[in-house]
Amino acid sequence: MSYDRCVRCGSCIILCPVFDAIGEEQYSPRGRTYLLQVMDLIEEDKELGKEFRRLLFQCTFCGRCSEICASDVDLLKVWHEQRGKAVSEAPEEFGYLDALGKSLANMMNIYGLDPEDRAEFWLDELEDEIPGIADRVYEEGKTADTMVFLGCLMSFRASQMDVLRSLFLTLEKLDVDYLVMGAEEFCCGHPLHLMGDDDGATKLREHNKGVMESAKAKRVITCCPGCLIQISTNHNLKEDIEVLHHTQLFDRLLETIPKYKQEEEFSYHDPCELHRICNVKTEPRSLLNKMGVEFEEMDLSCCGGGGLLRMTDPDLSDEIIQIRAQKEKLGDRLVLTCCPSCREQFLGANLRTRDIVEILADALEGGEK
Amino acid sequence: MKLRDIAIGANASIYLRMDFKKIKGVFYPRTEQEIIDAIATAHDGGYSVTPKGGGSGLSGACTGGNRERVMISTLRMREVLTVSKDQGYADVQPGATPDEINALIEPIRMKFWVAPSSRDIASAAGILSTDGGGNDTWVNGTMRDNTIRAKMVLYDGRRLTVDWNGVTSDDSELEAELNKKGMTISDVASAHGTLGFITELRVKIKPFPSEKLVGGLAKFEDCNAMGRALSELIKRKSPIRYGETVAAAHEDIREGLDLPLLTLEFPEDFASELKDILDYSDLDSEGLAKMKDVRIKLPKRNPNEGLQIALFEGFGYHGDNLLKMQDAIDEINSLLIGHGLALFARYGHAPSKWYLGDNSPAYGVILHSREIKPEDKTSREMFDTITDIVAKCNELGITPKPEHKWPFSDEEKKTRIKELREVMGTGFNDFILDPNGAYDTLSSLV
Ligand SMILES: Cc1cc2nc3c(=O)[nH]c(=O)nc-3n(C[C@H](O)[C@H](O)[C@H](O)COP(=O)(O)OP(=O)(O)OC[C@H]3O[C@@H](n4cnc5c(N)ncnc54)[C@H](O)[C@@H]3O)c2cc1C
Ligand code: SF4
Ligand code: SF4
């Protein structure tokens, strides 16, 4: 396995957000690969095995370690495989993941809410403002060029409503022929993937694939980088269906954008899964530049919300974002980003945040409201 | 036992398989006082102390060998404490890396000019303890040349500060005795953590030079011819700003290059003098960048079949053996082949600088060595090859691992360390000075 290739050079230590928060080797990527390399020497100690399995879930899957590694160790793949192994070896240690697993198996969303409610909350809220939005919800027989995959967070969380509103307003303004998956959207399987359970994720993905293909979609867009990873790499869609992040779509459609009336200072946070795993780096910045938005780049570091860490170790997740907020003096600055999960993490730390599409919708409206 | 007692063993050397039960404590202090407290714990239990920085050292010194030991890491002490642009120094915590120091001072157009390839993780104290440097040591010197002073704590908690003039300490007797022995930074350099725990360093920082540089590529009949040219460059104290050789490479990665070759970067006005010394063709900036790229990628390349390994990493050719470099390379090659290893690549810094065990500077070539990983060798056989290499280096007057250091066979340095430890006390990385040599310990860790 590829952890054997690790030469323990240490280049991946300091940039790991989990190491940064705790400061001990076992939390660093090198510490973890080293533990794997000497596992045969410590295998007999059952308590160490248990501690190691716990450790595997104290990682944000930000991919900084994989990116820096010059020895081609695919660390994200290693963490993924090891998580799967850990859960199957000692399921009793992962009781805290049961509820999530059950919600996904029975309700096909992470919250265990009625699948019918996927297009319920936001429709109620947005129907008056965006007439005809209800017709955009997919039903059997309806087709469109673009299928919008909202993902669980965007579908159910009130905190994402402004982003949703801006997304739909922008799609309408640009005359995009689109449908939203609605009640026919199942979770993309990302949380199961992060637990190492790709079998469970496959069932969800197959359903989504069926819907996307029956709607004759030429492209699928999503605001969620986690969904983007799953749909673009694991949904096995026909080759002629393009999968895009919303920033990619809008950057492509809009050559020029009216200048955004900026009245405060912005910092831009690049979502790890978007830029490091999906390799979408230029489009969010290009959109901001086209709108004449001035922003400070934040470190290309993690918000602490990925890899299921919010669930598996919420205190650690909080600490990571607090450290960043302090280090990067976020204080009153507004953090721009383009990931619902990162936004939740910033909101949880009492930081103000907006998705790029909110700024875009304002600019297209002719200035900030 | 907890995972923290295991993970502290992580290090870049091939010495990684430890008896973890012998690790009796692991500390990640944030302050000097916490270091003192951690050392006191070791002292009370009668354990050795092993200081650990980034764990990027390649000689296994930060493993602590096989003694019952307390490990003290500086990974949580990486701050830059003060910067004085006018006086050209920065005070840093022991764990600060060159990259971290430079990130902070580059906005004021200053730089800490010690640049090992491991500069993203190697710690200031670790680099001083191995007297490391980058491929620019010919211009900028090694870590000792860039260190103004080091603060240390001893096994019994006494504190001292060492600089180029000597030692100061609250303990006047300690101060007087160490000064009688003439202790300076040179002694701390390359001591591999055997003298005490470095708690803070004052390092030199300098502005960026403004000079126009040009590139050149020289080819040679063999490494003897290259060695002669390098010897002349060294004699004339040539202003070479970048000098790297590719001396040999496996056919899978040679890419049609005529070897050995030497890529040089130097001030424009040195060009005519350089022509007197060696034949070279001009390299434009693109060509120079290409040759630098070829060189930097060599440690990461692999043969079409199998994996490369760095069994012994590096050899320092200097003085007379530089003139007969090819002959020495041939001898080492046949030793490696005799031990069943296939050769992969030879490349390195040329000209370069390092220090010998008696603190005299050596100028020559640091030639890195890579082999193809054999499938059928036991760890013991691999380690036996290493001991044979060290013996061969001693026979030929070649410095073993000049850059990453091989303290175990450096009798001059060890004698001096022992002399100083008679005053300072023991307790740190004692295994390196084991009367039976550290070889048995090391071979068990491969
Ligand atoms: C990919 C790679 C590239 C490298 N390139 C170079 C290069 O270009 N040039 C070069 O010189 N080296 C290079 N090295 C080797 C290595 O980085 C150096 O030896 C470096 O100086 C070690 O620093 P460290 O902080 O990692 O020390 P460690 O490996 O942690 O320790 C090295 C020694 O220092 C001692 N020590 C550490 N901290 C303290 C302290 N606070 N007080 C007292 N003793 C202490 C340890 O006990 C040990 O004996 C490379 C290594 C790797 C893995
Ligand atoms: S960067 Fe790669 S090789 Fe280096 S320690 Fe990390 S995983 Fe290992
Ligand atoms: S994925 Fe991110 S959090 Fe996880 S080990 Fe790598 S750098 Fe650390």
Side-chain angles (χ1 to χ4, degrees):
Chain A
M1 280 218 270
S2 64
Y3 60 77
D4 280 347
R5 295 177 75 94
C6 167
V7 295
R8 304 170 303 283
C9 68
S11 287
C12 55
I13 298 178
I14 290 176
L15 45 72
C16 168
V18 174
F19 170 78
D20 192 36
I22 305 181
E24 299 195 356
E25 282 256 13
Q26 68 274 23
Y27 292 94
S28 75
R30 177 179 75 176
R32 294 165 199 248
T33 50
Y34 175 67
L35 288 169
L36 285 164
Q37 290 180 342
V38 296
M39 198 51 89
D40 60 309
L41 299 176
I42 54 171
E43 239 157 18
E44 276 143 45
D45 190 326
K46 299 279 172 273
E47 283 306 307
L48 288 179
K50 191 170 171 185
E51 204 190 334
F52 185 65
R53 287 188 286 277
R54 165 112 186 96
L55 186 66
L56 288 167
F57 283 80
Q58 288 167 306
C59 159
T60 68
F61 268 62
C62 69
R64 294 196 91 188
C65 49
S66 289
E67 182 181 53
I68 195 86
C69 181
S71 301
D72 288 336
V73 185
D74 188 346
L75 289 143
L76 283 178
K77 192 163 166 231
V78 173
W79 309 149
H80 175 246
E81 285 169 0
Q82 291 296 325
R83 278 189 175 191
K85 190 164 164 244
V87 176
S88 64
E89 260 173 21
E92 69 287 356
E93 288 166 23
F94 295 94
Y96 61 95
L97 295 175
D98 284 353
L100 176 62
K102 276 194 193 117
S103 297
L104 287 167
N106 300 328
M107 298 301 184
M108 286 70 75
N109 63 68
I110 57 174
Y111 299 109
L113 293 169
D114 186 342
E116 291 297 322
D117 289 348
R118 264 206 191 254
E120 204 51 42
F121 302 128
W122 56 264
L123 258 186
D124 284 350
E125 180 86 13
L126 301 179
E127 233 173 345
D128 292 343
E129 221 173 316
I130 311 174
I133 184 76
D135 295 337
R136 298 287 194 179
V137 178
Y138 171 82
E139 284 165 17
E140 212 177 323
K142 283 189 182 176
T143 60
D145 285 351
T146 300
M147 180 60 92
V148 180
F149 188 95
L150 290 180
C152 298
L153 278 176
M154 298 271 290
S155 300
F156 291 105
R157 299 278 298 179
S159 49
Q160 303 290 342
M161 193 60 72
D162 290 340
V163 184
L164 220 53
R165 176 185 294 110
S166 302
L167 174 72
F168 291 135
L169 284 171
T170 308
L171 288 166
E172 294 288 339
K173 187 131 200 150
L174 301 181
D175 278 334
V176 176
D177 173 28
Y178 75 97
L179 285 172
V180 194
M181 301 251 308
E184 287 302 328
E185 179 180 301
F186 286 4
C187 170
C188 65
H190 197 49
L192 290 172
H193 175 79
L194 293 172
M195 292 183 215
D197 176 13
D198 277 289
D199 289 345
T202 304
K203 290 184 204 124
L204 302 169
R205 293 167 185 156
E206 278 170 359
H207 169 87
N208 288 332
K209 172 178 154 78
V211 174
M212 290 162 187
E213 289 179 359
S214 79
K216 300 197 167 30
K218 295 197 183 92
R219 68 180 162 223
V220 177
I221 66 156
T222 181
C223 299
C224 173
C227 301
L228 187 68
I229 297 172
Q230 295 306 322
I231 302 171
S232 58
T233 55
N234 291 327
H235 272 57
N236 218 1
L237 296 180
K238 284 186 189 156
E239 266 180 19
D240 55 357
I241 303 184
E242 195 181 19
V243 186
L244 296 175
H245 190 240
H246 66 307
T247 56
Q248 291 179 288
L249 175 74
F250 294 135
D251 186 51
R252 193 186 288 180
L253 294 178
L254 291 160
E255 223 157 84
T256 57
I257 309 175
K259 186 166 166 46
Y260 174 76
K261 285 189 194 141
Q262 185 171 356
E263 282 161 6
E264 60 182 320
E265 293 190 326
F266 292 154
S267 294
Y268 173 61
H269 164 75
D270 223 357
C272 294
E273 289 178 327
L274 188 67
H275 90 264
R276 226 169 271 122
I277 302 175
C278 299
N279 208 16
V280 177
K281 299 180 180 168
T282 53
E283 292 88 340
R285 291 172 176 80
S286 160
L287 270 177
L288 290 170
N289 290 334
K290 284 177 189 170
M291 293 185 270
V293 172
E294 284 178 17
F295 59 95
E296 217 170 71
E297 289 273 357
M298 286 173 61
D299 283 352
L300 284 176
S301 186
C302 176
C303 67
L308 296 181
L309 193 68
R310 277 236 62 79
M311 190 174 183
T312 58
D313 195 338
D315 290 345
L316 177 56
S317 171
D318 283 344
E319 202 175 332
I320 292 173
I321 185 67
Q322 297 298 352
I323 290 173
R324 276 202 81 182
Q326 204 181 8
K327 225 187 245 175
E328 300 192 44
K329 300 186 179 67
L330 293 179
D332 278 350
R333 293 180 79 89
L334 189 135
V335 180
L336 292 179
T337 188
C338 44
C339 165
S341 175
C342 297
R343 281 192 67 249
E344 292 291 337
Q345 184 73 353
F346 289 121
L347 291 170
N350 290 325
L351 295 166
R352 292 179 314 120
T353 174
R354 296 187 86 191
D355 190 288
I356 291 179
V357 77
E358 293 179 75
I359 306 295
L360 176 61
D362 285 348
L364 292 173
E365 273 292 299
E368 200 175 6
K369 281 182 211 150
Chain B
M1 227 179 357
K2 290 277 182 201
L3 286 182
R4 68 199 298 273
D5 306 323
I6 317 282
I8 193 70
N11 78 98
S13 76
I14 55 172
Y15 311 101
L16 65 140
R17 299 180 63 78
M18 300 168 199
D19 177 357
F20 297 105
K21 290 196 192 77
K22 296 207 171 147
I23 296 180
K24 298 296 179 188
V26 176
F27 293 87
Y28 292 91
R30 288 181 196 277
T31 59
E32 188 196 51
Q33 188 53 50
E34 286 181 14
I35 294 174
I36 292 171
D37 294 346
I39 293 171
T41 311
H43 188 262
D44 293 348
Y47 306 126
S48 232
V49 172
T50 292
K52 187 176 176 202
S56 68
L58 292 164
S59 295
C62 75
T63 61
N66 203 21
R67 293 250 178 144
E68 293 199 322
R69 60 202 182 276
V70 162
M71 306 286 299
I72 306 179
S73 163
T74 57
L75 278 173
R76 273 191 184 147
M77 291 185 77
R78 308 204 315 272
E79 270 174 44
V80 176
L81 304 166
T82 341
V83 176
S84 170
K85 184 175 179 177
D86 298 342
Q87 295 179 54
Y89 72 78
D91 287 332
V92 302
Q93 287 190 317
T97 66
D99 275 359
E100 286 170 316
I101 299 170
N102 284 327
L104 210 93
I105 62 175
E106 271 176 14
I108 56 165
R109 303 288 306 142
M110 297 294 274
K111 192 170 166 187
F112 167 52
W113 294 91
V114 176
S117 320
S118 50
R119 55 190 169 267
D120 53 358
I121 181 65
S123 65
I127 306 176
L128 181 61
S129 301
T130 56
D131 201 16
N135 64 10
D136 58 350
T137 53
W138 171 249
V139 195
N140 294 312
T142 65
M143 181 67 182
R144 77 173 70 185
D145 298 318
N146 290 276
T147 303
I148 298 168
R149 70 172 191 211
K151 295 187 180 178
M152 297 173 79
V153 175
L154 305 184
Y155 197 54
D156 56 10
R158 285 179 295 173
R159 287 183 288 192
L160 64 151
T161 302
V162 186
D163 63 20
W164 285 99
N165 297 318
V167 175
T168 51
S169 172
D170 290 343
D171 183 325
S172 49
E173 201 179 320
L174 176 75
E175 179 179 309
E177 283 198 52
L178 288 174
N179 283 328
K180 209 169 358 161
K181 296 217 176 277
M183 183 179 184
T184 68
I185 287 291
S186 272
D187 293 306
V188 185
S190 215
H192 286 82
T194 50
L195 293 178
F197 201 103
I198 301 167
T199 55
E200 194 185 304
L201 298 101
R202 174 165 288 180
V203 297
K204 286 184 194 166
I205 58 174
K206 288 178 256 170
F208 293 83
S210 56
E211 55 184 358
K212 184 165 190 290
L213 299 179
V214 293
L217 180 68
K219 293 175 189 163
F220 302 91
E221 190 190 339
D222 62 14
C223 289
N224 284 344
M226 183 166 73
R228 285 193 296 273
L230 281 163
S231 200
E232 188 61 24
L233 283 176
I234 290 165
K235 204 160 81 193
R236 297 195 195 196
K237 296 191 169 59
S238 309
I240 303 296
R241 303 297 179 230
Y242 170 96
E244 286 284 335
T245 174
V246 181
H250 190 275
E251 59 184 11
D252 289 354
I253 54 163
R254 194 178 306 141
E255 293 176 359
L257 292 173
D258 249 350
L259 305 181
L261 59 76
L262 184 63
T263 308
L264 298 170
E265 198 175 11
F266 46 88
E268 205 170 19
D269 57 15
F270 178 65
S272 62
E273 189 179 342
L274 184 61
K275 283 268 186 240
D276 284 347
I277 302 171
L278 49 80
D279 230 6
Y280 73 90
S281 49
D282 292 335
L283 278 178
D284 59 13
S285 55
E286 208 177 298
L288 183 64
K290 194 178 147 224
M291 289 315 299
K292 285 186 179 181
D293 191 55
V294 166
R295 160 63 187 90
I296 198 112
K297 286 197 172 131
L298 279 173
K300 296 171 189 165
R301 305 281 306 268
N302 276 309
N304 296 342
E305 274 176 37
L307 293 173
Q308 71 150 292
I309 53 159
L311 186 74
F312 199 69
E313 183 61 33
F315 300 87
Y317 299 87
H318 62 108
D320 284 350
N321 60 50
L322 196 54
L323 304 174
K324 290 175 284 176
M325 199 175 148
Q326 185 67 57
D327 305 350
I329 291 174
D330 290 344
E331 279 204 47
I332 291 171
N333 285 355
S334 60
L335 186 154
L336 286 165
I337 292 165
H339 278 276
L341 282 139
L343 309 176
F344 187 58
R346 299 280 178 278
Y347 53 87
H349 320 320
S352 191
K353 174 187 180 185
W354 65 95
Y355 285 90
L356 303 175
D358 64 358
N359 294 324
S360 60
Y363 301 98
V365 181
I366 293 182
L367 201 67
H368 298 294
S369 166
R370 300 287 158 134
E371 295 76 34
I372 298 177
K373 189 175 181 180
E375 293 293 334
D376 52 351
K377 297 272 168 239
T378 62
S379 331
R380 186 73 230 190
E381 285 171 320
M382 296 288 264
F383 193 76
D384 286 346
T385 313
I386 291 173
T387 51
D388 282 359
I389 290 173
V390 176
K392 177 60 73 184
C393 285
N394 289 340
E395 178 196 324
L396 298 174
I398 294 165
T399 313
K401 279 204 201 200
E403 192 173 65
H404 308 138
K405 302 300 180 297
W406 185 252
F408 314 104
S409 65
D410 190 341
E411 296 305 329
E412 250 166 331
K413 183 75 184 174
K414 285 200 296 187
T415 304
R416 174 67 175 162
I417 289 171
K418 283 181 199 158
E419 185 191 343
L420 292 170
R421 276 164 53 116
E422 278 166 18
V423 179
M424 301 170 85
T426 58
F428 289 90
N429 270 349
D430 300 316
F431 86 103
I432 294 175
L433 303 161
D434 265 347
N436 307 325
Y439 282 23
D440 276 345
T441 307
L442 287 176
S443 64
S444 74
L445 301 178
V446 176

